Amino acid sequence: MQLMSAAPPAWGIQYTLSLPSEGAALAAAAELSGMGHRLTAVRVHDHFRFVPSSFWYGRPSMDPELEGWWQVFSLAVYSGYERMALEPFLRSERTRMACVARAHGGFQQGYSEGHAATAERVFQRDGLVHEQAGADVALPSPLPKDPVRPRAGPPWKCSEVGEPSVVVQAVVAVAERMYGSAEVVPDAVGWLLDEEFAFGEPYGSTGEFLGDLVDAVAHQGTCTDTTVEAVPFLMELVCDDKVAPGSRLVLLGDLLRLAASGAAAEVSLADRITALGCVWEESAAEYLTRRAIGSELPRLLSRWGDESDAARFALAALAALCGTREARSLRAGRSLGSSRQLPRRCRDARGSPTQ
């Protein structure tokens, strides 16, 4: 007797849209319901700040720029496939949700996902305007698939990252050489010179240690004044021959992400910026971090002849991000921009409550 495999559990995604008015929110909610969404609610932004029984009651808004705006919360259910098989289609769905929000003058603020049964059970029904019991979003047949990747070229030769203990010792040695003691070290580096760190549990992998290091410099990739102060330290690590070449490549990648943080935020928040009528400017910390990295690039580029192809790729990307056109001008020490007063930008409110 052949056993039938169990059908994969239905998958649910709750989309959150922010709209400039109640009318726009209701129109968007009706459109989502027409697409087959199971539950759709409309609430004024920060609704629970006005509900006495809520934790958020009476608290200041975490996103004051959206005062007077409305939000749509809509649960879509997708059945018949494992989550990974749905991914190419769900990417197009996220784009479609963003288009709906944009068409009504707003933006998609985010989404959350999980098993449909759980998502439906925890869905907040305050302001519910549409309910279609058991409804599923119609799926195309066959499901779209990711495009076939082109044939890979010859792999880059990248050296190993080194044993964790050896890399840790090399990084601590650079910190001691640069700062001498924990009293004058930047906040992002101070833990390396702390006695508790020196006698703590050893790292199981070099990647884990390097991850902690970059997170200390820029928590979750967010540039701050501490990040700016730590750039010379990261540059010293990249140039230190005692740091394994593979670890140096990881650090170059970290510098690349930091230099691109402002541009990346501009892309991710483009719809919000447009909907609010703002003009984007990277934060002062993002600007100064990128400028600090650029000012150190001549030193990195002086090692070009000894670098691997992978490291050269990272260095070329850094040069492009820091606004340079020729490596020669970097080596000559040309200024990478001038001091300026940065205007106020649209707030990044990814930490605001969504329910």
Side-chain angles (χ1 to χ4, degrees):
M1 179 178 176
Q2 186 176 6
L3 295 177
M4 298 290 291
S5 59
W11 199 251
I13 300 183
Q14 178 180 297
Y15 299 97
T16 303
L17 312 184
S18 289
L19 288 308
S21 67
E22 182 180 13
L26 289 170
E31 190 169 343
L32 297 182
S33 181
M35 294 177 182
H37 287 208
R38 189 171 293 186
L39 297 169
T40 309
V42 170
R43 300 192 285 270
V44 68
H45 179 74
D46 280 346
H47 161 77
F48 286 103
R49 290 176 53 222
F50 310 106
V51 178
S53 61
S54 171
F55 169 82
W56 299 103
Y57 180 67
R59 293 174 179 264
S61 174
M62 295 180 66
D63 202 352
E65 285 186 336
L66 296 183
E67 188 74 34
W69 279 55
W70 287 72
Q71 291 176 301
V72 175
F73 303 91
S74 197
L75 175 63
V77 175
Y78 308 90
S79 300
Y81 296 90
E82 296 287 352
R83 170 63 180 81
M84 290 305 296
L86 287 166
E87 178 54 30
F89 174 72
L90 293 180
R91 282 201 298 270
S92 67
E93 280 288 273
R94 291 191 288 271
T95 300
R96 185 161 70 144
M97 296 305 107
C99 288
V100 170
R102 200 179 302 129
H104 295 280
F107 59 95
Q108 179 179 305
Q109 195 165 13
Y111 65 94
S112 60
E113 58 182 282
H115 289 153
T118 302
E120 187 168 6
R121 186 170 61 251
V122 302
F123 187 90
Q124 293 283 352
R125 293 172 173 258
D126 299 57
L128 190 70
V129 290
H130 299 285
E131 180 172 7
Q132 302 182 96
D136 286 1
V137 173
L139 297 174
S141 182
L143 282 177
K145 295 183 179 180
D146 284 324
V148 177
R149 292 189 177 187
R151 184 178 177 182
W156 279 332
K157 295 179 180 179
C158 299
S159 302
E160 296 295 324
V161 294
E163 290 296 321
S165 59
V166 176
V167 175
V168 170
Q169 290 172 6
V171 171
V172 170
V174 171
E176 290 176 339
R177 182 173 72 244
M178 289 186 68
Y179 305 109
S181 71
E183 296 178 0
V184 295
V185 72
D187 292 341
V189 185
W191 58 285
L192 294 167
L193 302 181
D194 190 275
E195 287 189 6
E196 291 186 7
F197 171 75
F199 295 102
E201 292 291 327
Y203 277 89
S205 71
T206 301
E208 183 185 357
F209 169 66
L210 294 175
D212 281 355
L213 181 62
V214 72
D215 195 53
V217 171
H219 180 59
Q220 296 182 346
T222 302
C223 293
T224 63
D225 292 344
T226 298
T227 309
V228 181
E229 294 173 356
V231 167
F233 174 71
L234 293 178
M235 290 292 184
E236 192 70 22
L237 290 181
V238 172
C239 293
D240 193 279
D241 291 332
K242 292 182 180 178
V243 175
S247 291
R248 291 180 54 248
L249 180 59
V250 172
L251 292 168
L252 280 172
D254 292 333
L255 288 169
L256 187 56
R257 281 188 289 273
L258 294 177
S261 60
E266 181 179 6
V267 171
S268 68
L269 296 172
D271 278 357
R272 176 193 171 99
I273 295 165
T274 301
L276 288 171
C278 296
V279 176
W280 172 261
E281 279 287 352
E282 62 187 345
S283 72
E286 290 163 345
Y287 169 74
L288 292 172
T289 295
R290 179 170 51 80
R291 192 159 184 243
I293 292 171
S295 69
E296 296 276 359
L297 270 176
R299 183 182 176 195
L300 297 185
L301 289 169
S302 69
R303 304 165 58 102
W304 182 272
D306 299 323
E307 296 287 9
S308 66
D309 287 343
R312 289 176 180 176
F313 177 84
L315 288 172
L318 277 170
L321 278 167
C322 292
T324 60
R325 298 191 178 185
E326 295 179 332
R328 181 179 303 171
S329 61
L330 269 176
R331 291 193 183 99
R334 186 178 66 181
S335 173
L336 297 175
S338 57
S339 298
R340 59 194 175 103
Q341 185 69 31
L342 297 179
R344 182 176 177 272
R345 64 170 186 163
C346 284
R347 265 181 86 249
D348 179 352
R350 283 169 282 189
S352 61
T354 59
Q355 286 290 347

